[in-house]
Amino acid sequence: MKKGIYLAIAICAISILAVGCSSKPPASGPVQGSDPATTTPAPILNPDEENEKTQEIEVFYADDQLLQLEQTMKKITFEDDSDKYIKTYAALQNSDQPERIPLWSNIDLLSAHFDQGKLTLDVHIPDEARLGAGGETLALDALRETFFQFDEVTSIDLLVDGNATESLMGHAELEHPLTRE
């Protein structure tokens, strides 16, 4: 019985070797070595990367109970001031920590314009992004705290679908523009 098992294993091993050897492609000629100095590609420099700046910013999210704001440090990479505000808004929309709730996550930024200290943000708020009175107040506070860390921003005009509305979501009064307190 043991001889039969050993014989079967030997036949399988020889079959595997035979199949492996027969599947090799024939050599097309002598193999030539390559000089690593001539085949290593030069690093590709992206001209946009040269103009990019990186900055660590404070971003504010709600705690997991939606009772207060909590600060998180994030790095953003941007090309110019306009791009800096867009990336800052994007940071408000995403949290790396599950216990910190991004209150702006489902609110789309339509445009961001900065002119002489005034930052104008135009947003679209779908129905699923609407918060209660407490959440709306925290969202506005998170926006203020996050954008007023930039010394050049003296006021924020928050528009909803291009209109200066009385309230962001129907609960808290929205000043036009929001100013530093």
Side-chain angles (χ1 to χ4, degrees), residues 36-74:
T38 59
T39 59
T40 305
I44 298 172
L45 296 177
N46 185 348
D48 293 337
E49 290 178 3
E50 293 175 10
N51 296 332
E52 288 184 345
K53 302 172 193 165
T54 300
Q55 182 174 350
E56 192 168 52
I57 62 170
E58 299 171 354
V59 183
F60 291 84
Y61 304 107
D63 64 351
D64 57 359
Q65 302 294 314
L66 292 174
L67 298 175
Q68 64 184 10
L69 291 179
E70 295 183 356
Q71 172 188 334
T72 299
M73 299 303 288
K74 279 196 164 187

Side-chain angles (χ1 to χ4, degrees), residues 100-173:
R100 302 221 169 134
I101 311 298
L103 299 168
W104 293 87
S105 63
N106 295 321
I107 301 174
D108 302 321
L109 179 65
L110 302 176
S111 66
H113 300 286
F114 181 74
D115 186 33
Q116 298 179 359
K118 181 179 179 182
L119 176 62
T120 303
L121 300 173
D122 188 8
V123 298
H124 172 73
I125 306 171
D127 288 338
E128 63 270 8
R130 296 194 180 276
L131 304 168
E136 181 179 351
T137 302
L138 282 176
L140 288 171
D141 290 344
L143 185 83
R144 277 189 188 104
E145 295 291 329
T146 300
F147 282 102
F148 283 142
Q149 72 184 300
F150 303 119
D151 292 334
E152 68 272 15
V153 177
T154 57
S155 65
I156 303 168
D157 198 8
L158 187 58
L159 307 176
V160 178
D161 295 320
N163 299 313
T165 59
E166 292 179 12
S167 176
L168 183 64
M169 298 175 193
H171 304 288
E173 184 179 335

